[in-house]
Amino acid sequence: MAQSNLIKVGIVGGAGYTGGELLRLLVHHPQVQIAFVHSNSQAGKPVTDTHTDLLGDTDLVFTNQLGTEVDVLFLCVGHGDAKKFLETNSIPDEVKIIDLSQDFRLTEKSSLGNRQFVYGLPELNREEIKTAANVANPGCFATAIQLALLPLAQNGSLPEEVHVSGITGSTGAGQKLAETSHFSWRNNNISSYKVFGHQHLHEITESLQSLQADAQPAIRFVPYRGNFSRGIMCTTYLRSDLSLEEAQQLYRQFYVGHPYTLITSKNPDLKQVVNTNKCLLYIEKHDDQLVITSMIDNLLKGASGQAVQNMNLLFGLDERAGLQLKAIGF
């Protein structure tokens, strides 16, 4: 593609995990030119000093200056910081925004000035994303749980109560060091956190109700910190009258044409999705309980990979561009 036709990209918050994964994807994207990578803490330093996995792939240098000659701006900043950034920096209206924080995911918080954000789960809002100016990228647990439940919501089959247990790798907590991210604490260890009160429940409920308007599901979610770096595995179970065959057909039909959500007939393992933009769904039926296992890479389908998928949709590209990644199976 001619240089003048490339999508010019700016990245804010490029020194963190999601910024690093976004860079890894975009430096090899056939239709992208990275115009700048913003970081206040690393300004003036080569990107490869922080993201050593990119050595030999890029000679970009972090900057604390914002370039406005871009087509799309990715915000890889902390929750609450994206809204502050847009309030304190003048970004031309024609520049599209893809925000990876939770600041604009809920309908009541989806606008700021002239900017209106569309919730960026392609399996739910693909057509709306294609015509959007700004996208609020979903949360990682929210992605895994919604993809396990959306077909049931569309079918009007969500019961009053849904149970979910989910485990995530340490990168889900971000790069900033915390008590529960020290190696000596995390290794050979597991713990639950935010039981029944995880912040992603709000966006999950809102999405489900957009398909099943009368749904008021109580989602009993128990998240766990895993002693591994990346990946999310969720087990969702609920009462259902559907047979296994009916459920499998329902899910296959719902995800027809969605290249990254796949129904598998074999009980999967996390390594099948790590380093990919895939979500694997495995469905079982035990007595009256339907059980759905969902797996994603929290940094890719749960963050930066989905953000690139959304960029592809925004600019009319092949949804899979720059995302043909292989899992590390062994």
Side-chain angles (χ1 to χ4, degrees), residues 33-49:
Q33 176 187 355
I34 302 175
F36 68 88
V37 186
H38 184 277
S39 171
N40 286 322
S41 64
Q42 302 300 315
K45 298 178 182 177
V47 162
T48 52
D49 278 7

Side-chain angles (χ1 to χ4, degrees), residues 188-252:
N188 296 322
N189 200 9
I190 188 171
S191 68
S192 62
Y193 69 106
K194 297 181 181 177
V195 174
F196 291 3
H198 197 280
Q199 66 272 15
H200 290 178
L201 289 172
H202 301 296
E203 61 189 279
I204 295 168
T205 300
E206 191 166 275
S207 294
L208 296 177
Q209 289 176 342
S210 73
L211 294 180
Q212 185 176 333
D214 61 346
Q216 298 290 333
I219 301 176
R220 311 300 189 191
F221 176 38
V222 182
Y224 296 92
R225 303 178 181 95
N227 64 342
F228 50 92
S229 296
R230 57 196 291 169
I232 280 177
M233 173 180 170
C234 289
T235 304
T236 300
Y237 61 98
L238 49 91
R239 191 182 301 275
S240 177
D241 294 330
L242 294 170
S243 69
L244 176 60
E245 293 73 20
E246 289 171 334
Q248 289 172 334
Q249 179 60 23
L250 182 69
Y251 276 71
R252 290 192 182 101

Side-chain angles (χ1 to χ4, degrees), residues 8 10 35-36 65-73 89-96:
K8 295 180 178 60
F36 68 88
Q65 303 299 310
L66 289 177
T68 55
E69 297 299 315
V70 295
D71 301 304
V72 59
L73 189 64
N89 290 277
S90 180
I91 308 299
D93 290 343
E94 62 270 18
V95 175
K96 297 179 186 292

Side-chain angles (χ1 to χ4, degrees), residues 102-176:
Q102 66 183 13
D103 292 9
F104 303 106
R105 292 174 187 163
L106 300 179
T107 299
E108 64 180 5
K109 298 179 179 180
S110 63
S111 61
L112 182 66
N114 295 327
R115 292 193 180 274
Q116 183 72 34
F117 286 79
V118 168
Y119 187 67
L121 187 65
E123 292 81 357
L124 177 67
N125 290 329
R126 181 158 61 184
E127 295 309 310
E128 292 87 344
I129 294 166
K130 287 180 180 179
T131 59
N134 309 285
V135 172
N137 219 55
C140 50
F141 265 130
T143 296
I145 295 171
Q146 285 175 92
L147 293 177
L149 291 173
L150 290 179
L152 295 172
Q154 188 189 59
N155 196 53
S157 299
L158 282 179
E160 293 181 357
E161 194 165 80
V162 176
H163 296 267
V164 186
S165 62
I167 187 166
T168 183
S170 59
T171 53
Q175 193 178 47
K176 188 176 181 181

